[in-house]
Amino acid sequence: MSFRIASSPHNRISRSTAEIMLLVVVACIPGIIVQALLFGYGVLIQLVLAISTAWLAEALVMRLRAKPVLPRLKDHSAMLTGVLLAIAIPPYAPWWLIVVGTFFAIVMVKQLYGGLGNNLFNPAMAAYVMLLISFPLQMTQWLPSVSLQPESLSLLDAVCAVFTQYSCSGFSISQLQSGIDGVSMATPLDTLRTDLAAGLTLTESMQQPVFYGIAGAGWLWVNLAYLAGGLMLIKLRVIGWRIPAAVLGSLFMISLLSWLAAADSNPSPMFQLFSGATMLAAFFIATDPVSASTTNYGRLVYGALIGLMIFIIRKYGGYPDGVAFAILLANMTVPLIDYYTRPRTYGHKAKGAGK
């Protein structure tokens, strides 16, 4: 009989990289289901294209680097990158958009830095920003929720729309982007930003159908679904609580102060928390163990910085959501944050001690 000797603590849960990545993908499923039901089956088509491209790109690079392919594919990191990018782009974006973005994420952002564990930036968000800057028209083709769409789209219609930009019945994406009243609709964040820039008050802008509910038609439920998945990850100790709490807490506090200072030109904190990709960012993207801070205090600073940057970009920047830019900017500060928040070595004597 052999005994395994290990140092305390003895109650830690040890999971492999593959298990962690797979659990994160599973936690995304509630949000994916709600997103597909409320914004169309194009989400599912984008997922298939993204995951397939991620696997192919990963395998290609591994072959070029003369390294085994299957072990890299089985760690599920490429699949997770594809999933996060697919659910971040418009469901009916053209098929080549997700292919280009996923290939860029795997090859340029992940593998050229040395593969998993070496990338400075979050691959999915770096690819999202690249697509947003390079193809702004295609990246803003968000349709309103199904309750406001002029035409109900089946799964076959979704396939036609993604690959041809027309539904099987002949409706173009621009036609589908119009609500039931014939008025073209953007996301609630984009609509609000445009209206405020045009001189409308918050109350006047909120009269539009796209603002149904706390955070816009459909967006509240999507964010609640990703919130549920994120809480599951915390419960299973796949991710820590510090980064999500800091992101949401920082965004809530700065939104509350701005709302109290000028309620007619700033949306409520609840609107900020449950609009766009807030919950997806807080629980699934900002918590990336490779590109996030590694110290306990650093994670709080890192998360708070992301929440602050989301608010600033949404209010003053050129893009309505700002999540991807906020995370990439925070990624750049991680080495500095870790340097100043790393715990003191045991036995270290502070300067001036003993005098």
Side-chain angles (χ1 to χ4, degrees), residues 115-344:
L116 181 63
N118 298 298
N119 48 285
L120 175 62
F121 300 104
N122 182 283
M125 291 299 95
Y128 181 91
V129 168
M130 184 276 294
L131 293 175
L132 188 61
I133 295 174
S134 304
F135 311 103
L137 178 61
Q138 289 79 7
M139 286 293 287
T140 55
Q141 289 181 336
W142 280 93
L143 271 63
S145 66
V146 292
S147 61
L148 298 176
Q149 291 178 17
E151 180 74 11
S152 178
L153 300 181
S154 64
L155 182 58
L156 183 59
D157 284 319
V159 174
C160 293
V162 171
F163 284 95
T164 69
Q165 294 296 280
Y166 287 88
S167 68
C168 295
S169 54
F171 285 90
S172 68
I173 292 297
S174 59
Q175 290 174 316
L176 295 171
Q177 204 172 2
S178 300
I180 54 178
D181 58 357
V183 178
S184 180
M185 290 190 174
T187 61
L189 284 169
D190 195 10
T191 301
L192 181 61
R193 175 181 173 77
T194 302
D195 288 349
L196 291 177
L200 275 67
T201 63
L202 184 67
T203 304
E204 292 171 337
S205 181
M206 288 287 187
Q207 301 302 315
Q208 301 180 64
V210 73
F211 289 106
Y212 176 80
I214 295 176
W219 290 99
L220 171 63
W221 297 108
V222 170
N223 276 277
L224 285 174
Y226 284 119
L227 172 61
L231 293 177
M232 184 192 80
L233 292 178
I234 294 178
K235 174 75 173 177
L236 296 175
R237 297 184 180 180
V238 176
I239 63 174
W241 60 268
R242 289 177 176 82
I243 292 177
V247 172
L248 300 179
S250 172
L251 180 58
F252 178 84
M253 288 304 300
I254 190 66
S255 301
L256 178 63
L257 292 175
S258 64
W259 183 58
L260 292 175
D264 215 24
S265 59
N266 293 288
S268 70
M270 297 304 292
F271 179 86
Q272 293 278 17
L273 290 179
F274 292 99
S275 291
T278 304
M279 294 300 170
L280 179 65
F283 290 96
F284 294 92
I285 301 175
T287 54
D288 174 23
V290 178
S291 56
S293 179
T294 58
T295 67
N296 287 337
Y297 290 120
R299 292 185 180 108
L300 293 173
V301 175
Y302 171 78
L305 178 62
I306 291 176
L308 175 63
M309 293 303 300
I310 289 175
F311 175 83
I312 291 174
I313 295 172
R314 283 180 176 179
K315 184 169 179 61
Y316 303 107
Y319 296 93
D321 199 344
V323 163
F325 290 96
I327 289 177
L328 292 185
L329 290 171
N331 289 162
M332 296 172 62
T333 68
V334 164
L336 185 65
I337 293 174
D338 283 351
Y339 178 80
Y340 283 105
T341 60
R342 62 188 177 186
R344 179 170 296 175

Side-chain angles (χ1 to χ4, degrees), residues 77-92:
S77 61
M79 178 175 65
L80 178 59
T81 297
V83 168
L84 293 177
L85 183 58
I87 59 183
I89 72 170
Y92 295 104

